[in-house]
Short mmCIF file of all heavy atoms in Angstrom, two decimals:
data_model
loop_
_atom_site.label_atom_id
_atom_site.label_comp_id
_atom_site.label_asym_id
_atom_site.label_seq_id
_atom_site.Cartn_x
_atom_site.Cartn_y
_atom_site.Cartn_z
N ILE A 1 65.86 65.72 33.06
CA ILE A 1 66.40 66.55 31.98
C ILE A 1 67.04 65.75 30.85
O ILE A 1 67.37 66.32 29.81
CB ILE A 1 67.43 67.55 32.54
CG1 ILE A 1 68.60 66.81 33.20
CG2 ILE A 1 66.76 68.50 33.53
CD1 ILE A 1 69.72 67.73 33.65
N ASP A 2 67.25 64.41 31.03
CA ASP A 2 67.84 63.64 29.95
C ASP A 2 67.48 62.16 30.13
O ASP A 2 66.81 61.77 31.10
CB ASP A 2 69.36 63.82 29.90
CG ASP A 2 70.06 63.52 31.21
OD1 ASP A 2 69.53 62.68 31.99
OD2 ASP A 2 71.12 64.12 31.49
N ALA A 3 67.93 61.32 29.18
CA ALA A 3 67.58 59.90 29.18
C ALA A 3 68.10 59.19 30.43
O ALA A 3 67.42 58.32 31.00
CB ALA A 3 68.11 59.23 27.92
N ALA A 4 69.31 59.54 30.86
CA ALA A 4 69.87 58.89 32.05
C ALA A 4 69.01 59.17 33.28
O ALA A 4 68.78 58.29 34.12
CB ALA A 4 71.30 59.39 32.28
N ALA A 5 68.51 60.40 33.39
CA ALA A 5 67.66 60.76 34.53
C ALA A 5 66.34 59.99 34.48
O ALA A 5 65.81 59.58 35.51
CB ALA A 5 67.40 62.26 34.53
N VAL A 6 65.83 59.75 33.28
CA VAL A 6 64.58 59.01 33.13
C VAL A 6 64.76 57.56 33.58
O VAL A 6 63.95 56.99 34.31
CB VAL A 6 64.08 59.08 31.68
CG1 VAL A 6 62.91 58.11 31.47
CG2 VAL A 6 63.66 60.50 31.33
N ARG A 7 65.87 56.91 33.11
CA ARG A 7 66.12 55.52 33.50
C ARG A 7 66.27 55.40 35.01
O ARG A 7 65.73 54.48 35.65
CB ARG A 7 67.39 55.01 32.81
CG ARG A 7 67.25 54.84 31.30
CD ARG A 7 68.45 54.08 30.74
NE ARG A 7 68.42 54.07 29.29
CZ ARG A 7 69.04 54.95 28.52
NH1 ARG A 7 69.76 55.93 29.09
NH2 ARG A 7 68.97 54.87 27.21
N LYS A 8 67.03 56.31 35.59
CA LYS A 8 67.26 56.28 37.03
C LYS A 8 65.96 56.47 37.80
O LYS A 8 65.68 55.77 38.78
CB LYS A 8 68.26 57.37 37.41
CG LYS A 8 68.61 57.40 38.89
CD LYS A 8 69.65 58.49 39.18
CE LYS A 8 69.99 58.53 40.67
NZ LYS A 8 70.99 59.60 40.96
N ALA A 9 65.11 57.41 37.35
CA ALA A 9 63.85 57.67 38.02
C ALA A 9 62.91 56.48 37.90
O ALA A 9 62.21 56.12 38.86
CB ALA A 9 63.19 58.92 37.44
N PHE A 10 62.90 55.83 36.74
CA PHE A 10 62.02 54.68 36.53
C PHE A 10 62.38 53.54 37.48
O PHE A 10 61.53 52.94 38.13
CB PHE A 10 62.12 54.20 35.07
CG PHE A 10 61.01 53.30 34.65
CD1 PHE A 10 59.91 53.79 33.96
CD2 PHE A 10 61.03 51.94 34.96
CE1 PHE A 10 58.87 52.96 33.58
CE2 PHE A 10 60.00 51.10 34.58
CZ PHE A 10 58.91 51.61 33.89
N SER A 11 63.70 53.28 37.58
CA SER A 11 64.16 52.21 38.46
C SER A 11 63.86 52.54 39.93
O SER A 11 63.38 51.68 40.68
CB SER A 11 65.67 52.01 38.27
OG SER A 11 66.16 51.06 39.18
N ALA A 12 64.11 53.80 40.32
CA ALA A 12 63.87 54.21 41.71
C ALA A 12 62.38 54.14 42.06
O ALA A 12 62.00 53.74 43.17
CB ALA A 12 64.39 55.63 41.93
N MET A 13 61.53 54.46 41.10
CA MET A 13 60.10 54.42 41.35
C MET A 13 59.62 52.99 41.56
O MET A 13 58.82 52.72 42.46
CB MET A 13 59.32 55.08 40.20
CG MET A 13 57.82 55.16 40.45
SD MET A 13 56.92 55.89 39.06
CE MET A 13 57.64 57.54 39.03
N ARG A 14 60.09 52.06 40.75
CA ARG A 14 59.68 50.66 40.91
C ARG A 14 60.06 50.13 42.29
O ARG A 14 59.26 49.49 42.97
CB ARG A 14 60.34 49.80 39.83
CG ARG A 14 59.58 49.83 38.49
CD ARG A 14 60.02 48.68 37.61
NE ARG A 14 59.23 48.62 36.40
CZ ARG A 14 58.04 48.05 36.30
NH1 ARG A 14 57.48 47.51 37.36
NH2 ARG A 14 57.39 48.03 35.14
N GLU A 15 61.27 50.46 42.72
CA GLU A 15 61.72 49.98 44.02
C GLU A 15 60.91 50.62 45.15
O GLU A 15 60.47 49.94 46.09
CB GLU A 15 63.20 50.30 44.20
CG GLU A 15 64.11 49.51 43.26
CD GLU A 15 65.57 49.86 43.47
OE1 GLU A 15 65.86 50.62 44.43
OE2 GLU A 15 66.41 49.40 42.68
N SER A 16 60.72 51.93 45.07
CA SER A 16 60.04 52.66 46.14
C SER A 16 58.57 52.23 46.26
O SER A 16 58.08 51.98 47.35
CB SER A 16 60.12 54.17 45.89
OG SER A 16 59.38 54.88 46.83
N VAL A 17 57.89 52.15 45.14
CA VAL A 17 56.47 51.81 45.17
C VAL A 17 56.28 50.37 45.64
O VAL A 17 55.37 50.06 46.42
CB VAL A 17 55.83 52.04 43.79
CG1 VAL A 17 54.39 51.52 43.77
CG2 VAL A 17 55.85 53.52 43.44
N SER A 18 57.14 49.46 45.17
CA SER A 18 57.02 48.06 45.60
C SER A 18 57.23 47.93 47.09
O SER A 18 56.56 47.14 47.77
CB SER A 18 58.05 47.21 44.85
OG SER A 18 57.79 47.22 43.47
N GLU A 19 58.15 48.72 47.62
CA GLU A 19 58.46 48.65 49.05
C GLU A 19 57.37 49.28 49.91
O GLU A 19 56.96 48.73 50.93
CB GLU A 19 59.79 49.37 49.31
CG GLU A 19 60.18 49.43 50.79
CD GLU A 19 61.44 50.23 51.01
OE1 GLU A 19 62.17 50.48 50.03
OE2 GLU A 19 61.69 50.61 52.17
N LYS A 20 56.85 50.46 49.47
CA LYS A 20 55.93 51.22 50.32
C LYS A 20 54.46 50.88 50.09
O LYS A 20 53.64 50.99 50.99
CB LYS A 20 56.14 52.72 50.10
CG LYS A 20 57.52 53.19 50.54
CD LYS A 20 57.69 54.68 50.30
CE LYS A 20 59.08 55.15 50.74
NZ LYS A 20 59.28 56.58 50.49
N ALA A 21 54.11 50.48 48.88
CA ALA A 21 52.71 50.27 48.58
C ALA A 21 52.39 48.86 48.13
O ALA A 21 51.23 48.51 47.96
CB ALA A 21 52.25 51.27 47.51
N GLY A 22 53.40 48.08 47.90
CA GLY A 22 53.16 46.71 47.45
C GLY A 22 53.21 46.61 45.95
O GLY A 22 52.75 47.50 45.24
N HIS A 23 53.75 45.49 45.46
CA HIS A 23 53.95 45.34 44.02
C HIS A 23 52.64 45.31 43.25
O HIS A 23 52.56 45.71 42.08
CB HIS A 23 54.74 44.05 43.74
CG HIS A 23 55.12 43.88 42.29
ND1 HIS A 23 56.13 44.61 41.72
CD2 HIS A 23 54.59 43.09 41.32
CE1 HIS A 23 56.24 44.26 40.44
NE2 HIS A 23 55.31 43.33 40.16
N SER A 24 51.55 44.86 43.91
CA SER A 24 50.28 44.73 43.21
C SER A 24 49.68 46.08 42.81
O SER A 24 48.82 46.16 41.94
CB SER A 24 49.27 43.98 44.07
OG SER A 24 49.03 44.71 45.28
N THR A 25 50.15 47.15 43.46
CA THR A 25 49.60 48.47 43.14
C THR A 25 50.31 49.11 41.95
O THR A 25 49.86 50.12 41.44
CB THR A 25 49.76 49.43 44.34
OG1 THR A 25 51.15 49.66 44.57
CG2 THR A 25 49.11 48.84 45.58
N LEU A 26 51.42 48.55 41.54
CA LEU A 26 52.25 49.18 40.54
C LEU A 26 51.71 48.88 39.14
O LEU A 26 51.58 47.74 38.74
CB LEU A 26 53.70 48.68 40.66
CG LEU A 26 54.72 49.28 39.68
CD1 LEU A 26 54.81 50.79 39.94
CD2 LEU A 26 56.07 48.63 39.88
N ARG A 27 51.39 49.90 38.44
CA ARG A 27 50.99 49.76 37.05
C ARG A 27 51.98 50.53 36.19
O ARG A 27 52.97 51.07 36.68
CB ARG A 27 49.57 50.31 36.84
CG ARG A 27 48.50 49.49 37.56
CD ARG A 27 47.15 50.18 37.50
NE ARG A 27 46.71 50.41 36.12
CZ ARG A 27 46.05 49.49 35.40
NH1 ARG A 27 45.79 48.31 35.91
NH2 ARG A 27 45.65 49.76 34.17
N GLU A 28 51.69 50.62 34.91
CA GLU A 28 52.59 51.35 34.03
C GLU A 28 52.67 52.82 34.44
O GLU A 28 51.64 53.46 34.64
CB GLU A 28 52.09 51.26 32.57
CG GLU A 28 52.11 49.86 32.00
CD GLU A 28 50.85 49.09 32.34
OE1 GLU A 28 50.02 49.62 33.11
OE2 GLU A 28 50.71 47.96 31.87
N PRO A 29 53.88 53.39 34.56
CA PRO A 29 53.98 54.80 34.95
C PRO A 29 53.44 55.73 33.87
O PRO A 29 53.45 55.42 32.69
CB PRO A 29 55.49 55.00 35.13
CG PRO A 29 56.04 53.64 35.38
CD PRO A 29 55.20 52.73 34.54
N VAL A 30 52.97 56.87 34.37
CA VAL A 30 52.52 57.93 33.47
C VAL A 30 53.69 58.86 33.19
O VAL A 30 54.44 59.21 34.10
CB VAL A 30 51.36 58.73 34.12
CG1 VAL A 30 51.01 59.93 33.28
CG2 VAL A 30 50.16 57.83 34.28
N PHE A 31 53.78 59.30 31.96
CA PHE A 31 54.91 60.10 31.56
C PHE A 31 54.41 61.44 31.04
O PHE A 31 53.61 61.49 30.10
CB PHE A 31 55.65 59.35 30.44
CG PHE A 31 57.05 59.79 30.30
CD1 PHE A 31 57.99 59.49 31.26
CD2 PHE A 31 57.45 60.52 29.19
CE1 PHE A 31 59.30 59.88 31.12
CE2 PHE A 31 58.75 60.92 29.05
CZ PHE A 31 59.68 60.61 30.02
N ASN A 32 54.82 62.56 31.68
CA ASN A 32 54.37 63.90 31.29
C ASN A 32 55.53 64.75 30.82
O ASN A 32 56.62 64.67 31.35
CB ASN A 32 53.73 64.66 32.47
CG ASN A 32 52.52 63.94 33.02
OD1 ASN A 32 52.35 63.90 34.22
ND2 ASN A 32 51.69 63.38 32.16
N ARG A 33 55.24 65.61 29.86
CA ARG A 33 56.17 66.70 29.60
C ARG A 33 56.06 67.68 30.76
O ARG A 33 54.97 67.95 31.25
CB ARG A 33 55.84 67.42 28.30
CG ARG A 33 56.79 68.60 28.09
CD ARG A 33 56.74 69.18 26.72
NE ARG A 33 57.76 70.24 26.65
CZ ARG A 33 58.59 70.38 25.67
NH1 ARG A 33 58.59 69.53 24.68
NH2 ARG A 33 59.47 71.37 25.67
N TRP A 34 57.20 68.24 31.19
CA TRP A 34 57.19 69.19 32.30
C TRP A 34 56.56 70.50 31.83
O TRP A 34 57.00 71.12 30.88
CB TRP A 34 58.63 69.44 32.75
CG TRP A 34 58.76 70.49 33.80
CD1 TRP A 34 59.34 71.71 33.67
CD2 TRP A 34 58.29 70.41 35.13
NE1 TRP A 34 59.27 72.38 34.85
CE2 TRP A 34 58.63 71.61 35.78
CE3 TRP A 34 57.61 69.44 35.87
CZ2 TRP A 34 58.33 71.87 37.09
CZ3 TRP A 34 57.30 69.70 37.18
CH2 TRP A 34 57.66 70.90 37.77
N SER A 35 55.48 70.92 32.51
CA SER A 35 54.81 72.15 32.15
C SER A 35 54.16 72.73 33.39
O SER A 35 53.04 72.42 33.73
CB SER A 35 53.73 71.87 31.09
OG SER A 35 53.06 73.07 30.75
#
């Protein structure tokens, strides 16, 4: 819902994906408007 939530989600996603799927799978995240 705001910029702080976006920063927090971006950081959490990098950590989670690197841990569960490996850093090599991580590419640039896709960003959608909620609809």
Side-chain angles (χ1 to χ4, degrees):
I1 61 174
D2 55 28
V6 170
R7 291 191 188 94
K8 182 178 179 181
F10 196 97
S11 176
M13 184 182 298
R14 278 197 174 278
E15 293 180 7
S16 175
V17 173
S18 296
E19 177 184 344
K20 295 179 180 179
H23 186 75
S24 61
T25 66
L26 181 62
R27 293 172 59 86
E28 296 85 355
V30 173
F31 201 70
N32 300 140
R33 177 167 183 134
W34 175 248
S35 179

